[in-house]
Amino acid sequence: MSTPPRSNRHGRTRRGGARRKFIILALVLLVAAVGLGAWIALQPQAGPAEGPGTGAGSGLASPGGTPAGNDGAIAKQEKEKEKEKAFIEQTLSGMSLDERISQMLMVDLEAVAQEAGGVQLEEAMQKLRPGGVVLFRGDIPDIRSVLTLNRRLQQTAAIPLWMSTDQEGGIVTRLPFASAMNGNMAIGATGRPGAAAETGEVLGQMLAKLEINLDFAPVADINSNPDNPVIGLRSYGSDPEQVADFVKSFIVGMHAAGLPAVAKHFPGHGDTATDSHIGLPKLDYELSRFESIEWVPFRAAIAEGVDAIMSAHIQVPQLEPATAVSKLDGKPITLPATLSPHLLTGVLREQLGFQGVIVTDALNMKAIADHFGSEEAAVMAVKAGADMLLMPPEPAAAVSAIHRAVDAGEIEAARIDDSVRRILRMKRKYGLLPDTASPPVPLEDAIQGAEAYFQSGSAEQTADRIAAEAATVWGTGVKTKLPLLRGDGRRVILIGDQRTVLERVQREIEGAASAAAGGSIQVEARTPAEVPSPRQWPSGAIAVWVTQDLHHDRSSAETVISWFQAAAEQDVAAAVLSVGTPYDIAELPDIPLGIAVYGTTSSNLRAGVKALFSAEPPAGKLPVALP
């Protein structure tokens, strides 16, 4: 804000003096305006965020519709796109048709070895030239072994490999020497999507330390069927919007660790009653159901910038009525989603607008392998719109079959090129291709760095904190029964069918009692057949039933229910520690105290034991609707 001219403060004016002062003032203002303009022009302009999954930064719109001040950033982006396109086209032009097809394969090392006969693995890999490898627990026995294996395999590749695995956390983990973290249902029970981001980032950091550059996670399925035999604890819950929030957050975390994210299993595996590893599931719903339930997390994942989406081997007859003849029994079956052009191309690619990489679930699973031959399934998956074929049982035969299909005009060569471009674009984005790759550190330095990371215990600390947030209490006497355990020397009898889990819970209880001011506790584990009846219960002893998915076993559920009814009559102190899906709550609604922990990882069990020692009920929220 300007002040009045000094002469005016005194109320005196002179005609000539006023004119001169006016001219001087005009010159001063002109100089100030020019200086301000120059200062603004020299300021750095904020450009759009360039991290995975982020949108462009905001700015004032110029007359041409471009955010003001962002011209330089936009020009830089366009130049980078041109550079990327030129590099990818140059790479593609130097590849034979077989090499392009092979780039679409993610192979299992065991399948490569079996198909190659007595040929050395490196030689077989060099001949096959796949786009990537899927590692399992047996391939990752320790840090030195997996890093050495990864370096050996990368040396066989003209185009660097995806070194991939399924490190979801919880019940699906591949690193025997690392924290299993928490499964998705435990994370969902925190009610805090940030827990998914923290988990995704830690999982990504783990894998990056081992030079594993692709993780098939997160699971985006909605567990709306309590009897689902294959998803369950792998899902964030049964509410589509909540699952979507957690899926998006996990993607953010994985990207923060510098790894791609892969949402699975499209079009949705959460309401199936068959495990596609051993059979062919079916979801007989109409379009509106999928749009309002199953596809909500996938839409969210696409909006968040997910890099790849994995298909499911499930039949969806109301969306894909086309059939094929099963090789198992010669009968017609509805095409599963993995082999469905309508679902992969018509819905996922065109309707939902996904422009990233479509990867099949493993083609050696019985849902595919029993009904379609290895070669036929590979060809059909490519026709359907898949870019990456996961674990074909006979990878070299799959390449030959796809090549023949191209020669016969069944598949256009341009269709193969489109998939390879998407794969190369994703590899370049994450630093696998030469023009974006960082030089590798010496192997021994990589091993030492990884060992230091895993020995730090930081992952386990994150897992323990999230597991404690997830623990969920129920029962008729919660306020009066906690703390159930005190480390006061009382006897505790653990009851359950799984001896190994009981022994692990026993160790956690003994450790917690010792940590509680040096307290002590007597713990023993028994099966339901070995445990005394409540009428013969040892005086002062506490019972902790460790249950897991009682809704799958009515007989076991009835045994627990009857025991607690008798225990109430005898005033026996007792509780349930539920270590499976939380549907045990529906089976045992009237027990005095129950703690659900959503898994059997070390962090899950510690969280449950901690809750039994605490006077404050845990604050976890039930992530699924109970039947």
Side-chain angles (χ1 to χ4, degrees):
M1 186 172 66
S2 61
T3 58
R6 291 176 62 88
S7 60
N8 289 343
R9 285 195 300 163
H10 303 288
R12 296 178 297 181
T13 61
R14 292 181 181 177
R15 193 172 184 180
R19 183 181 295 111
R20 286 194 299 273
K21 290 176 182 178
F22 176 79
I23 293 171
I24 292 171
L25 175 62
L27 289 172
V28 169
L29 292 174
L30 177 62
V31 170
V34 171
L36 179 61
W39 179 82
I40 292 173
L42 291 172
Q43 300 312 298
Q45 299 300 313
E50 296 181 357
T54 58
S58 61
L60 295 176
S62 67
T66 302
N70 281 352
D71 291 351
I74 292 171
K76 183 179 179 181
Q77 286 182 338
E78 291 300 321
K79 186 175 181 180
E80 172 57 27
K81 287 181 181 178
E82 292 174 5
K83 180 181 177 183
E84 175 188 78
K85 181 179 179 181
F87 185 87
I88 289 174
E89 292 303 320
Q90 181 182 8
T91 303
L92 191 64
S93 66
M95 300 168 68
S96 68
L97 178 57
D98 276 355
E99 288 171 333
R100 298 179 194 200
I101 296 169
S102 292
Q103 190 63 208
M104 298 171 68
L105 302 191
M106 295 291 293
V107 299
D108 171 17
L109 294 178
E110 185 175 317
V112 173
Q114 287 179 352
E115 191 178 35
V119 176
Q120 290 290 324
L121 178 62
E122 285 90 340
E123 183 180 346
M125 286 287 293
Q126 197 165 18
K127 182 178 180 181
L128 181 61
R129 295 160 297 205
V133 171
V134 186
L135 299 178
F136 289 88
R137 207 172 180 87
D139 302 312
I140 313 175
D142 55 66
I143 291 170
R144 178 175 293 275
S145 295
V146 68
L147 277 167
T148 302
L149 174 65
N150 287 350
R151 294 287 178 101
R152 282 172 49 208
L153 294 177
Q154 291 289 17
Q155 289 173 359
T156 70
I159 296 175
L161 299 163
W162 288 119
M163 303 303 303
S164 71
T165 195
D166 291 284
Q167 187 71 7
E168 298 174 11
I171 60 174
V172 179
T173 58
R174 307 300 190 213
L175 310 183
F177 47 81
S179 168
M181 301 300 289
N182 287 278
N184 286 350
M185 194 165 285
I187 296 169
T190 68
R192 185 173 64 85
E198 294 167 23
T199 301
E201 184 168 8
V202 170
L203 290 174
Q205 290 170 348
M206 285 182 181
L207 297 179
K209 289 293 183 182
L210 301 173
E211 297 179 6
I212 296 173
N213 50 32
L214 180 61
D215 188 13
F216 295 118
V219 170
D221 300 311
I222 295 164
N223 202 72
S224 51
N225 182 354
D227 294 321
N228 191 314
V230 67
I231 301 300
L233 294 172
R234 301 166 66 194
S235 168
Y236 289 112
S238 62
D239 179 81
E241 295 297 338
Q242 176 178 309
V243 171
D245 288 342
F246 280 85
V247 166
K248 289 192 299 182
S249 193
F250 183 97
I251 292 168
V252 170
M254 187 62 73
H255 283 166
L259 266 67
V262 183
K264 59 187 186 184
H265 308 81
F266 184 84
H269 213 314
D271 199 14
T272 59
T274 302
D275 182 349
S276 51
H277 292 86
I278 60 176
L280 183 55
K282 179 184 293 187
L283 282 185
D284 201 4
Y285 294 130
E286 58 186 16
L287 177 62
S288 60
R289 155 65 189 241
F290 283 95
E291 290 183 327
S292 62
I293 305 292
E294 275 77 15
W295 295 349
V296 173
F298 289 101
R299 287 185 186 276
I302 292 168
E304 192 58 51
V306 72
D307 304 278
I309 291 179
M310 181 182 288
S311 68
H313 303 328
I314 64 171
Q315 297 172 303
V316 190
Q318 293 196 44
L319 302 188
E320 175 55 278
T323 62
V325 176
S326 169
K327 290 186 178 298
L328 183 64
D329 55 16
K331 297 179 180 179
I333 57 171
T334 305
L335 283 182
T338 293
L339 308 181
S340 165
H342 175 65
L343 288 168
L344 296 194
T345 299
V347 174
L348 181 54
R349 188 72 77 197
E350 296 173 0
Q351 181 179 331
L352 300 187
F354 179 58
Q355 298 303 309
V357 171
I358 297 176
V359 55
T360 71
D361 205 343
L363 295 177
N364 64 356
M365 293 164 59
K366 287 186 176 294
I368 298 295
D370 278 357
H371 300 282
F372 306 90
S374 175
E375 297 181 17
E376 182 185 10
V379 171
M380 292 178 71
V382 174
K383 287 182 177 180
D387 299 307
M388 285 168 46
L389 311 182
L390 187 63
M391 298 174 61
E394 299 173 315
V399 172
S400 298
I402 296 169
H403 191 140
R404 290 194 301 271
V406 173
D407 289 344
E410 297 178 37
I411 298 174
E412 293 184 2
R415 166 71 190 82
I416 303 297
D417 291 351
D418 287 344
S419 286
V420 177
R421 285 189 184 97
R422 280 188 279 266
I423 293 166
L424 293 178
R425 194 177 298 123
M426 186 167 132
K427 284 188 172 183
R428 186 177 184 273
K429 179 179 180 180
Y430 288 94
L432 272 70
L433 298 189
D435 69 326
T436 58
S438 301
V441 301
L443 177 59
E444 287 302 319
D445 291 350
I447 292 170
Q448 291 177 15
E451 289 175 342
Y453 173 83
F454 286 102
Q455 290 169 4
S456 72
S458 60
E460 194 78 2
Q461 292 171 10
T462 299
D464 283 355
R465 176 169 46 78
I466 291 172
E469 289 183 62
T472 306
V473 67
W474 88 94
T476 60
V478 170
K479 293 182 179 179
T480 59
K481 298 299 181 181
L482 285 174
L484 183 72
L485 307 180
R486 292 181 173 83
D488 54 5
R490 294 179 68 184
R491 183 181 179 188
V492 176
I493 300 177
L494 300 177
I495 311 165
D497 292 313
Q498 299 187 47
R499 179 70 69 177
T500 301
V501 175
L502 293 181
E503 291 172 352
R504 292 174 59 209
V505 174
Q506 178 176 344
R507 288 193 294 270
E508 295 295 343
I509 290 176
E510 291 169 345
S514 177
S520 64
I521 203 163
Q522 303 176 48
V523 187
E524 57 189 89
R526 299 193 181 184
T527 66
E530 298 169 340
V531 72
S533 72
R535 293 178 180 81
Q536 300 172 322
W537 195 253
S539 177
I542 299 169
V544 177
W545 280 78
V546 180
T547 65
Q548 186 169 12
D549 298 331
L550 290 175
H551 63 290
H552 289 160
D553 186 349
R554 288 303 312 163
S555 175
S556 295
E558 291 296 337
T559 297
V560 179
I561 293 169
S562 298
W563 192 95
F564 269 92
Q565 289 172 343
E569 297 172 359
Q570 303 299 319
D571 199 25
V572 175
V576 164
L577 180 63
S578 171
V579 298
T581 54
Y583 303 111
D584 285 358
I585 298 175
E587 299 294 329
L588 307 170
D590 300 323
I591 62 170
L593 176 64
I595 307 290
V597 295
Y598 311 98
T600 59
T601 71
S602 297
S603 297
N604 297 148
L605 300 184
R606 272 195 291 273
V609 168
K610 178 182 177 182
L612 292 174
F613 273 90
S614 175
E616 290 295 322
K621 303 170 180 63
L622 192 63
V624 296
L626 297 179

